[in-house]
Amino acid sequence: MKKTVFTLAIISALAVFCIMLAPKQASITDYAMNTVITVTARSPHADKLCQKALDEVHRIDNLMSPTAEGSDIYRINHAGKGSFTEVSPETYELIELSLKISEKTDGAFDITVNPLSELWGFTSENPSVPSKDAIKDLTQKVNYKNVLLNPDTFSVCLAQDGMSISLGAVAKGYGASQAAKILEDGGAWDGIVDLGGSICVAGNKRIGIQTPFKPRGEYFTVCEVSDTSVVTSGAYERYFKEDGKIYHHIIDPKTGYPAQTDIGSATVISDNGALADALSTAVFVLGLDKAEDVLSDFDKVSAVIYTADGRVVEVSGK
Ligand code: ADP
Ligand code: MG
């Protein structure tokens, strides 16, 4: 009799233990980096893990937001011409990567377009078309070559008056991949971190790619991926209409106007989330022909491009 009770007790203890360890799915939605963030994970501790991943996104936002007083980017932008600002190694690395992409794209990708993004009001609630003169004036100040780096001290300097930088085209990809790493390190079975189209996946997942200018959730393709980043840039996410014309938030640094492109959206897949993000913006500005050239410079990178006339073109890197 005693033995039976004992066995039953062991069995129920094991059952409780198994229930505690059974993977649960949790999902949290929040707002940071100027976009809606969703973190989803399957793990016995899914709630905690999602929150931890979200905290990581907020940490990176606080480090790299151009508007948060005291952030690395804020301090660089407010240091005044010619003075070096010491930043975290993470910020330094993303700026270095951004400058490398600028070199490879002959300036189509350029983090010094920030004064133009501000002029157009894409960083505000009420964007509008600025005057031609104002655009011309600020376009002359855009030049990634005037961002100077000191690798010994992780310091960054803007060499001309009126310059400022923003990592808006690269930090979300970085944030998504760092947050996904938290899910992985925490033992999640799988998970997805989605920062408004900058997605990083832990484990195996299917990711639908949005058809530009169609209702949300209407996909033109679905990618099967594992442990990688899938980042989409397009004209359809942030734009305004004035006099019947669409003005979107990805700017051609040469003209100061929203990039005229034959691409509706560019999705880049890479294990490096920051690179995928930077390249998706770069490819969008460059257009289809030059995209193939630029992507061929990078290892283990591929892209799915939805052209402005509705064709789907797949491009792979090296
Ligand atoms: P999203 O912000 O919608 O994810 P992107 O990753 O393509 O889209 O980044 C767009 C952001 O990058 C803009 O909001 C702006 O801050 C910045 N940006 C705009 N044009 C350029 C450009 N030519 N090069 C680098 N950054 C840009
Ligand atoms: Mg980008």
Side-chain angles (χ1 to χ4, degrees), residues 120-255:
W120 280 87
F122 286 117
T123 50
S124 76
E125 298 280 298
N126 304 305
S128 63
V129 182
S131 76
K132 271 192 184 134
D133 283 349
I135 292 174
K136 200 173 157 200
D137 189 38
L138 286 190
T139 304
Q140 283 161 2
K141 298 191 197 303
V142 174
N143 188 350
Y144 67 92
K145 289 182 178 148
N146 288 328
V147 181
L148 312 180
L149 300 180
N150 182 340
D152 298 328
T153 53
F154 289 127
S155 298
V156 183
C157 157
L158 306 180
Q160 291 295 321
D161 272 329
M163 284 180 74
S164 65
I165 59 171
S166 147
L167 295 179
V170 53
K172 284 191 284 290
Y174 177 69
S177 64
Q178 287 299 107
K181 209 178 269 170
I182 300 242
L183 299 182
E184 251 171 53
D185 292 349
W189 282 30
D190 52 32
I192 301 179
V193 181
D194 183 350
L195 273 65
S198 297
I199 294 172
C200 189
V201 163
N204 299 322
K205 286 282 172 190
R206 290 157 61 80
I207 301 293
I209 313 293
Q210 174 69 36
T211 311
F213 296 108
K214 284 284 154 69
R216 201 171 281 271
E218 198 171 315
Y219 303 135
F220 68 86
T221 188
V222 176
C223 301
E224 290 227 29
V225 290
S226 62
D227 300 320
T228 198
S229 288
V230 181
V231 181
T232 304
S233 283
Y236 58 94
E237 282 287 354
R238 284 167 210 254
Y239 66 88
F240 66 93
K241 269 188 183 171
E242 202 170 294
D243 299 329
K245 244 188 113 177
I246 285 181
Y247 296 93
H248 61 77
H249 72 311
I250 302 175
I251 291 172
D252 182 343
K254 304 241 165 13
T255 64

Side-chain angles (χ1 to χ4, degrees), residues 59-60 64 90 94 170-179 273-274 277:
R59 183 188 69 79
I60 294 168
M64 301 181 187
E90 290 171 284
L94 287 196
V170 53
K172 284 191 284 290
Y174 177 69
S177 64
Q178 287 299 107
D277 198 355

